[in-house]
Amino acid sequence: MKLLMKTALVCALAAPAAAIAQDVDKWPEKPVVLMVPYSPGGGTDILARMIGAKLSEIWKQTVVVENKAGANGIIGSAEIKRARPDGYKIMLVVGSHIINKILTKNVPYDPQTDFTPITRFAVSPSILAVKRDGKFADLPGFIEAGKKQDVSIGYSEGQTQLTGELIRQATAVKAVPVPYKGGSPLMVDIVGGHVDSGVTSVLTVLPYVKSGQLKVIAVAADKPLDVFPDAVTFAQTGHSEVESLSWYGFFGPKNMPAAIVSKINDSLLTATQDPKIAAQLKAQGATVTLDKPAAFRQFLENEKHKWQQVANKGGITAR
């Protein structure tokens, strides 16, 4: 009797997964929700809506982009964790997905084990920006000055905070971190001379560079960016350890069928061939990566280890 009950229980638990697997060939048969756990209008939201529109064409099903901002992505991500793992609810997040666990107490999930990594879609390096007509002509000048006197480095979220700390550790500048609630207020304060510099994204700084108010003096990657031809990489000044790649990643709930994950990956590859999406990514200084799930998992582990070390060395703890 016990054996029969145990067998029945195993079958009952396996039934939902089997039902999902049987639907893979027809998937999706209804609208798909693409969660963006950040505010509307930001770089992630813009990219998600472009990709969502293209996926709607490919799948011949509506892809609904849903914004659920709060706690640097935690609130929306927690909803995806609770969703059924059938591919009908997925999300697009950025690097803070991993860093939140390092800097924030009581995150209601494990960013690696409570989700299915679908793909690291693209990467874009963090940059260091200063006032165009300010006191720093270039990165060597910034480092030289910063070794003699305090220089303020603004940041707006987890990865930009830790990138500023990594710059301090690598270059020995007397960096004073200055927190902001968003990238735009930080840019405005650099223009106004209230803060010396800021770590931010390509998309955030670009309008200010085009208007002649700010300039990018450094790129936290191993290669320069075409969009900022005058900016050097930290590696070019002997600080190759300063690498900070902002990344876009697709995730689903834990235990999504591999066949659905593969289908989403293939569709995203097709979507990147759209000239509008390619242009948007180029404008953000982004490079398409489309990692396979195993490679994405390894990347996430590497990022967690790297930024945890930076936080530990800098005495930065979760709040």
Side-chain angles (χ1 to χ4, degrees):
M1 178 63 73
K2 288 183 178 180
L3 179 59
L4 288 173
M5 290 178 65
K6 184 176 180 180
T7 302
L9 178 61
V10 169
C11 290
L13 292 172
I20 292 172
Q22 289 170 2
D23 293 337
V24 167
D25 291 339
K26 297 179 181 179
W27 187 93
E29 297 182 276
K30 61 182 181 179
V32 175
V33 172
L34 175 55
M35 172 73 74
V36 177
Y38 316 110
S39 300
T44 309
D45 180 61
I46 292 169
L47 186 60
R49 292 181 186 280
M50 296 182 75
I51 293 172
K54 193 63 184 179
L55 291 177
S56 293
E57 293 179 20
I58 296 169
W59 293 337
K60 307 221 175 350
Q61 284 288 350
T62 303
V63 174
V64 180
V65 176
E66 181 179 320
N67 297 92
K68 186 156 285 191
N72 204 23
I74 292 174
I75 292 175
S77 298
E79 182 171 313
I80 296 299
K81 178 201 169 184
R82 297 189 295 267
R84 189 167 185 258
D86 55 9
Y88 287 104
K89 225 172 188 184
I90 59 177
M91 68 179 181
L92 177 62
V93 295
V94 295
S96 58
H97 180 71
I98 284 293
I99 291 172
N100 280 338
K101 194 72 173 177
I102 299 172
L103 299 178
T104 306
K105 288 183 178 178
N106 302 320
V107 176
Y109 52 77
D110 186 299
Q112 291 168 274
T113 60
D114 283 335
F115 299 91
T116 297
I118 297 172
T119 186
R120 182 179 64 152
F121 181 74
V123 297
S124 178
S126 298
I127 58 87
L128 181 66
V130 298
K131 187 175 181 179
R132 176 163 290 282
D133 299 323
K135 51 189 174 182
F136 307 113
D138 51 27
L139 180 60
F142 177 85
I143 294 173
E144 183 180 356
K147 287 181 176 179
K148 298 174 182 176
Q149 61 190 38
D150 289 349
V151 291
S152 49
I153 301 180
Y155 66 88
S156 60
E157 46 86 14
Q159 186 160 342
T160 56
Q161 177 186 2
L162 292 180
T163 301
E165 173 59 23
L166 180 57
I167 292 170
R168 185 193 71 78
Q169 293 174 12
T171 65
V173 298
K174 299 177 180 180
V176 179
V178 183
Y180 283 81
K181 291 185 177 180
S184 293
L186 168 58
M187 299 300 100
V188 170
D189 272 7
I190 299 174
V191 172
H194 305 298
V195 63
D196 293 322
S197 65
V199 177
T200 190
S201 67
V202 173
L203 191 64
T204 299
V205 78
L206 196 55
Y208 297 89
V209 172
K210 288 182 176 178
S211 67
Q213 296 172 294
L214 298 180
K215 64 181 175 182
V216 173
I217 58 171
V219 177
D222 59 354
K223 295 179 181 178
L225 285 176
D226 292 341
V227 69
F228 303 127
D230 297 329
V232 299
T233 66
F234 281 93
Q236 288 174 310
T237 59
H239 305 289
S240 58
E241 64 270 45
V242 182
E243 181 177 87
S244 178
L245 298 177
S246 301
W247 51 267
Y248 297 104
F250 282 87
F251 290 82
K254 186 178 181 179
N255 295 327
M256 275 179 61
I260 290 180
V261 171
S262 180
K263 190 168 185 176
I264 295 172
N265 261 302
D266 291 344
S267 299
L268 288 170
L269 177 59
T270 302
T272 59
Q273 309 308 310
D274 186 298
K276 290 183 181 179
I277 294 176
Q280 177 67 23
L281 290 167
K282 184 177 180 180
Q284 295 180 215
T287 302
V288 174
T289 49
L290 283 175
D291 293 348
K292 296 297 184 185
F296 190 21
R297 285 182 187 277
Q298 185 59 57
F299 171 79
L300 294 172
E301 183 60 36
N302 294 344
E303 284 287 279
K304 175 187 173 184
H305 178 71
K306 170 185 174 176
W307 293 119
Q308 186 67 69
Q309 282 192 318
V310 171
N312 291 346
K313 188 174 180 180
I316 299 172
T317 57
R319 291 186 176 187

